[in-house]
Short mmCIF file of all heavy atoms in Angstrom, two decimals:
data_model
loop_
_atom_site.label_atom_id
_atom_site.label_comp_id
_atom_site.label_asym_id
_atom_site.label_seq_id
_atom_site.Cartn_x
_atom_site.Cartn_y
_atom_site.Cartn_z
N TRP A 75 -7.61 6.48 11.42
CA TRP A 75 -7.51 6.12 10.05
C TRP A 75 -8.66 5.32 9.49
O TRP A 75 -9.22 5.52 8.47
CB TRP A 75 -6.20 5.39 9.83
CG TRP A 75 -5.78 5.62 8.30
CD1 TRP A 75 -6.09 4.80 7.28
CD2 TRP A 75 -4.88 6.58 7.83
NE1 TRP A 75 -5.46 5.34 6.16
CE2 TRP A 75 -4.80 6.42 6.49
CE3 TRP A 75 -4.20 7.74 8.43
CZ2 TRP A 75 -3.96 7.18 5.63
CZ3 TRP A 75 -3.43 8.45 7.57
CH2 TRP A 75 -3.32 8.29 6.18
N ASP A 78 -11.68 7.85 9.35
CA ASP A 78 -11.70 8.97 8.37
C ASP A 78 -11.18 8.69 7.00
O ASP A 78 -11.44 9.51 6.05
CB ASP A 78 -10.83 10.09 8.97
CG ASP A 78 -11.54 10.71 10.23
OD1 ASP A 78 -12.87 10.52 10.41
OD2 ASP A 78 -10.93 11.50 10.88
N PHE A 79 -10.41 7.53 6.87
CA PHE A 79 -9.82 7.27 5.57
C PHE A 79 -10.20 5.87 5.09
O PHE A 79 -9.44 5.32 4.24
CB PHE A 79 -8.30 7.47 5.59
CG PHE A 79 -7.88 9.00 5.85
CD1 PHE A 79 -7.41 9.28 7.15
CD2 PHE A 79 -8.03 9.89 4.89
CE1 PHE A 79 -7.17 10.60 7.35
CE2 PHE A 79 -7.63 11.24 5.13
CZ PHE A 79 -7.27 11.58 6.37
N ALA A 80 -11.37 5.36 5.53
CA ALA A 80 -11.77 3.99 5.14
C ALA A 80 -11.92 3.88 3.67
O ALA A 80 -11.65 2.80 3.06
CB ALA A 80 -12.98 3.55 5.89
N ASP A 81 -12.37 5.00 3.03
CA ASP A 81 -12.74 4.93 1.70
C ASP A 81 -11.47 4.81 0.76
O ASP A 81 -11.54 4.37 -0.42
CB ASP A 81 -13.47 6.19 1.08
CG ASP A 81 -14.97 6.01 1.60
OD1 ASP A 81 -15.42 4.96 1.96
OD2 ASP A 81 -15.71 7.05 1.56
N THR A 82 -10.35 5.26 1.30
CA THR A 82 -9.06 5.18 0.49
C THR A 82 -8.06 4.18 1.04
O THR A 82 -6.87 4.37 0.89
CB THR A 82 -8.42 6.62 0.47
OG1 THR A 82 -8.29 7.17 1.87
CG2 THR A 82 -9.33 7.52 -0.39
N SER A 83 -8.56 3.23 1.91
CA SER A 83 -7.76 2.30 2.50
C SER A 83 -8.43 0.92 2.28
O SER A 83 -9.60 0.87 1.88
CB SER A 83 -7.60 2.48 3.94
OG SER A 83 -6.92 3.80 4.24
N VAL A 84 -7.65 -0.16 2.50
CA VAL A 84 -8.23 -1.46 2.38
C VAL A 84 -7.60 -2.41 3.39
O VAL A 84 -6.43 -2.21 3.79
CB VAL A 84 -7.97 -1.97 0.93
CG1 VAL A 84 -6.44 -2.19 0.58
CG2 VAL A 84 -8.72 -3.26 0.60
N VAL A 97 -3.60 -1.65 3.66
CA VAL A 97 -3.06 -0.54 3.00
C VAL A 97 -3.84 0.66 3.47
O VAL A 97 -5.03 0.75 3.45
CB VAL A 97 -3.22 -0.56 1.41
CG1 VAL A 97 -2.76 0.68 0.82
CG2 VAL A 97 -2.53 -1.82 0.88
N THR A 98 -3.07 1.64 3.96
CA THR A 98 -3.65 2.96 4.36
C THR A 98 -3.26 4.00 3.34
O THR A 98 -2.04 4.05 2.91
CB THR A 98 -3.18 3.32 5.73
OG1 THR A 98 -1.78 3.35 5.88
CG2 THR A 98 -3.85 2.58 6.83
N GLY A 99 -4.21 4.81 2.93
CA GLY A 99 -3.99 5.81 1.93
C GLY A 99 -4.99 6.94 2.05
O GLY A 99 -5.93 6.93 2.78
N TYR A 100 -4.62 7.97 1.33
CA TYR A 100 -5.56 9.18 1.31
C TYR A 100 -5.39 9.80 -0.05
O TYR A 100 -4.37 9.79 -0.86
CB TYR A 100 -5.32 10.11 2.38
CG TYR A 100 -3.97 10.76 2.41
CD1 TYR A 100 -3.64 12.02 1.68
CD2 TYR A 100 -2.88 10.14 3.09
CE1 TYR A 100 -2.38 12.55 1.77
CE2 TYR A 100 -1.68 10.72 3.20
CZ TYR A 100 -1.33 11.92 2.48
OH TYR A 100 -0.16 12.51 2.53
N ARG A 101 -6.40 10.55 -0.54
CA ARG A 101 -6.26 11.36 -1.76
C ARG A 101 -5.69 12.72 -1.27
O ARG A 101 -6.09 13.29 -0.35
CB ARG A 101 -7.69 11.59 -2.30
CG ARG A 101 -8.22 10.34 -2.85
CD ARG A 101 -9.68 10.42 -3.41
NE ARG A 101 -9.74 11.08 -4.68
CZ ARG A 101 -10.92 11.19 -5.37
NH1 ARG A 101 -12.09 10.67 -4.91
NH2 ARG A 101 -10.92 11.81 -6.59
N LEU A 109 -3.79 9.06 -5.15
CA LEU A 109 -3.82 8.30 -3.99
C LEU A 109 -2.36 8.34 -3.43
O LEU A 109 -1.45 7.79 -4.03
CB LEU A 109 -4.26 6.93 -4.25
CG LEU A 109 -4.26 6.04 -2.96
CD1 LEU A 109 -5.37 6.40 -1.88
CD2 LEU A 109 -4.53 4.58 -3.36
N PHE A 110 -2.25 8.84 -2.19
CA PHE A 110 -0.96 8.65 -1.47
C PHE A 110 -1.06 7.44 -0.59
O PHE A 110 -2.01 7.45 0.31
CB PHE A 110 -0.54 9.95 -0.66
CG PHE A 110 0.77 9.69 -0.10
CD1 PHE A 110 1.99 10.07 -0.69
CD2 PHE A 110 0.98 9.18 1.22
CE1 PHE A 110 3.15 9.84 -0.17
CE2 PHE A 110 2.13 8.98 1.85
CZ PHE A 110 3.32 9.33 1.13
N LEU A 133 -7.65 -1.67 -4.22
CA LEU A 133 -7.86 -0.31 -3.79
C LEU A 133 -7.87 0.64 -5.02
O LEU A 133 -8.84 1.46 -5.18
CB LEU A 133 -6.85 0.03 -2.81
CG LEU A 133 -7.00 1.57 -2.25
CD1 LEU A 133 -8.29 1.70 -1.57
CD2 LEU A 133 -5.79 1.71 -1.33
N ARG A 136 -11.10 0.26 -6.97
CA ARG A 136 -12.20 0.79 -6.28
C ARG A 136 -12.27 2.31 -6.45
O ARG A 136 -13.31 3.01 -6.60
CB ARG A 136 -12.15 0.48 -4.74
CG ARG A 136 -13.39 1.15 -4.07
CD ARG A 136 -13.43 0.98 -2.58
NE ARG A 136 -12.59 0.09 -1.89
CZ ARG A 136 -11.89 0.50 -0.81
NH1 ARG A 136 -11.91 1.73 -0.37
NH2 ARG A 136 -11.14 -0.46 -0.13
N LEU A 137 -11.00 2.92 -6.58
CA LEU A 137 -10.89 4.44 -6.64
C LEU A 137 -10.88 4.92 -8.01
O LEU A 137 -11.16 6.16 -8.25
CB LEU A 137 -9.71 4.86 -5.93
CG LEU A 137 -9.66 4.64 -4.36
CD1 LEU A 137 -8.42 4.98 -3.78
CD2 LEU A 137 -10.92 5.41 -3.69
#
Side-chain angles (χ1 to χ4, degrees):
W75 202 275
D78 291 347
F79 298 103
D81 287 343
T82 53
S83 300
V84 65
V97 174
T98 52
Y100 61 89
R101 289 173 81 170
L109 172 70
F110 183 86
L133 182 57
R136 181 182 352 130
L137 295 174

